[in-house]
Amino acid sequence: MKKQTKAIRIQTSRTPQMEHSTPLFLTSSFVFDDAETMRAAFADESDDNIYSRFSNPSVQELVDKLAALEGAEAGYATASGMSAVFGSFMALLKQGDRLLACNSIFGSTHTVIAKYLPKYGIEHGYLSASATEAEWEAAITPNTKMIYIETPTNPGLEILDLEMIGRLAKKHGIIFNVDNCFATPVNQRPIEYGADIVVHSATKWLDGQGRVLGGVILGRKDLIHEIYLFCRSTGPALSPFNAWVLSKSIETLDVRMERHASNALYLAQQLENHTAIAALRYPFLPSHPQYSIAIKQMQNGGGIICFELKGGLEAGRNFLNKLNLLSLTANLGDTRSIASHPASTTHAKLSEEERKAVNITPGLIRISVGLEHRDDILADILQAL
Ligand SMILES: *Cc1c(COP(=O)(O)O)cnc(C)c1O
């Protein structure tokens, strides 16, 4: 079956109620017929569910769908994207190891790497999103155990070359871990380019309707087993209810992402030469600096566009205040279009210099393009500009 079909048809086995749509297994634990079955489950001699911190059918259904989409051998679902990121670090890195990352990463991921990993003796190094193959190779030290990147990056939409970094990771025997939140597995599959681990915030496009938090870690069976053992003891398990909501969402992921991307491409084309905009970035516009990498590794340009307003910080704040339809909110990847101004909100705590280092300019606006009619989204942005 094609991956789109698997994302719809993978389902927990039908119960005697003969339900068509997937049931919700909202239960903390599972019962056993007798002492021997229970003993065997606890001895890992069977795959029987024991307790929902370890496994749960609703959660497993979501993992199986996402593993099919990413082409992963196994997975574990977590309560949020950040617990997926943290779990993938803590289970696979130890004191003295070094994590090499791109510096354009999600804010909380940077906090984990720069503030918390050092408490456990785990070192880190950062490279810019535009680092060359030679710069990546030069940054690899004997204790570099993991490479971690996001592509496209948030909020600057820089594109990193998955094939190039995957090749280097393989050559040096390093675990390659990719946060694939922005593209989603229907648009980009890092495992095909050599990633060992893929992490997701399911809160964003995977839910796609701004309802629940969730995360997932997918990848090589041996690595996922280590992550599973870490998570089943430390407890970042995904709620079965959230898993059930997310699993229903995955049934529509492919069609939703197609529309998000076609709306985004249309807006990008219409806005690119607007007189109030100094520069606009969208991965599938030929003007994007890494356009050739984007079209190599992505199916479409995704649902995010960003642009720099002439007039800097004040222009950014004014733009947000003038919007009528677009929502001002911290999330992205929703049916409803969202505008954000990183310099005055998500990245306001950074110094001007720090923001510059990760390409966050004062007038940068990020639009998460929703599923409303493209003409209504465009009209609202144009009147605000
Ligand atoms: C939101 C986000 C995360 C964190 O996910 P949560 O579900 O909010 O914990 C991680 N990476 C990226 C790229 C994100 O956008």
Side-chain angles (χ1 to χ4, degrees):
M1 280 191 289
K2 305 264 191 230
K3 59 185 183 353
Q4 291 91 339
T5 308
K6 288 183 185 166
I8 291 169
R9 283 290 174 173
I10 287 174
Q11 189 167 323
T12 54
S13 49
R14 196 161 282 154
T15 74
Q17 301 295 339
M18 296 301 284
E19 72 282 351
H20 185 209
S21 185
T22 191
L24 163 57
F25 290 90
L26 197 62
T27 178
S28 355
S29 66
F30 300 84
V31 293
F32 299 94
D33 277 341
D34 53 56
E36 173 50 25
T37 324
M38 192 168 186
R39 183 208 62 77
F42 276 80
D44 291 328
E45 289 168 18
S46 75
D47 289 335
D48 290 351
N49 292 303
I50 299 173
Y51 189 59
S52 286
R53 172 152 45 80
F54 309 168
S55 66
N56 171 285
S58 296
V59 175
Q60 193 58 42
E61 179 184 287
L62 172 69
V63 168
D64 289 346
K65 285 181 175 182
L66 289 170
L69 287 176
E70 286 284 7
E73 292 171 0
Y76 183 84
T78 57
S80 68
M82 282 321 302
S83 48
V85 170
F86 186 63
S88 75
F89 292 165
M90 293 311 282
L92 302 176
L93 298 171
K94 62 179 192 312
Q95 186 176 18
D97 287 343
R98 182 160 169 276
L99 173 71
L100 186 58
C102 173
N103 65 3
S104 289
I105 48 172
F106 189 67
S108 297
T109 305
H110 167 67
T111 304
V112 167
I113 292 175
K115 183 173 175 189
Y116 293 108
L117 293 189
K119 286 176 67 170
Y120 304 95
I122 299 164
E123 302 165 18
H124 65 275
Y126 277 131
L127 282 165
S128 88
S130 57
T132 61
E133 179 159 4
E135 286 167 327
W136 274 99
E137 187 139 39
I140 293 170
T141 55
N143 65 340
T144 301
K145 179 84 179 287
M146 182 184 282
I147 290 177
Y148 180 86
I149 66 158
E150 291 174 20
T151 181
T153 65
N154 176 24
L157 296 182
E158 289 136 306
I159 306 293
L160 283 83
D161 190 336
L162 288 167
E163 188 264 328
M164 179 269 279
I165 299 170
R167 180 160 27 85
L168 281 182
K170 194 131 289 162
K171 178 175 162 192
H172 293 273
I174 297 167
I175 297 166
F176 183 26
N177 186 350
V178 179
D179 181 334
N180 200 26
C181 169
F182 260 48
T184 82
V186 298
N187 186 7
Q188 171 177 276
R189 281 172 297 285
I191 290 170
E192 290 174 3
Y193 295 95
D196 303 291
I197 297 281
V198 171
V199 292
H200 279 282
S201 167
T203 317
K204 313 292 170 53
W205 302 107
L206 300 187
D207 175 29
Q209 289 142 92
R211 299 165 300 179
V212 298
L213 294 179
V216 67
I217 314 166
L218 301 154
R220 252 169 59 192
K221 207 169 183 170
D222 57 325
L223 300 177
I224 295 297
H225 187 64
E226 285 302 311
I227 291 164
Y228 162 73
L229 293 175
F230 173 80
C231 290
R232 88 174 232 173
S233 291
T234 55
L238 178 64
S239 151
F241 177 76
N242 287 9
W244 177 81
V245 170
L246 290 166
S247 183
K248 294 302 292 176
S249 284
I250 301 306
E251 294 178 18
T252 57
L253 182 66
D254 195 71
V255 288
R256 283 188 288 111
M257 293 316 295
E258 231 177 80
R259 177 64 68 86
H260 281 296
S262 64
N263 275 357
L265 178 62
Y266 175 73
L267 292 180
Q269 287 164 340
Q270 297 301 311
L271 294 169
E272 191 174 19
N273 299 314
H274 193 282
T275 50
I277 291 177
L280 180 144
R281 209 170 257 204
Y282 183 69
F284 267 39
L285 282 186
S287 59
H288 190 290
Q290 294 104 28
Y291 174 68
S292 61
I293 306 172
I295 57 170
K296 180 179 74 170
Q297 66 193 26
M298 297 169 77
Q299 219 112 306
N300 58 54
I304 308 276
I305 62 175
C306 65
F307 49 81
E308 174 66 18
L309 290 172
K310 293 176 184 165
L313 200 71
E314 264 318 291
R317 292 166 50 87
N318 286 338
F319 175 77
L320 292 193
N321 284 333
K322 289 254 163 62
L323 289 167
N324 299 319
L325 177 71
L326 274 69
S327 311
L328 311 186
T329 180
N331 203 13
L332 65 90
D334 197 302
T335 52
R336 292 153 291 188
S337 297
I338 296 165
S340 67
H341 179 226
S344 71
T345 57
T346 47
H347 295 74
K349 290 198 190 83
L350 273 64
S351 70
E352 191 77 43
E353 278 308 298
E354 287 173 313
R355 277 198 290 272
K356 214 166 161 189
V358 290
N359 288 323
I360 293 167
T361 43
L364 183 74
I365 297 289
R366 184 190 74 191
I367 308 281
S368 168
V369 180
L371 300 180
E372 304 98 334
H373 195 286
R374 63 188 198 176
D375 292 341
D376 290 327
I377 311 170
L378 180 64
D380 194 37
I381 294 174
L382 286 175
Q383 66 78 25
L385 286 174

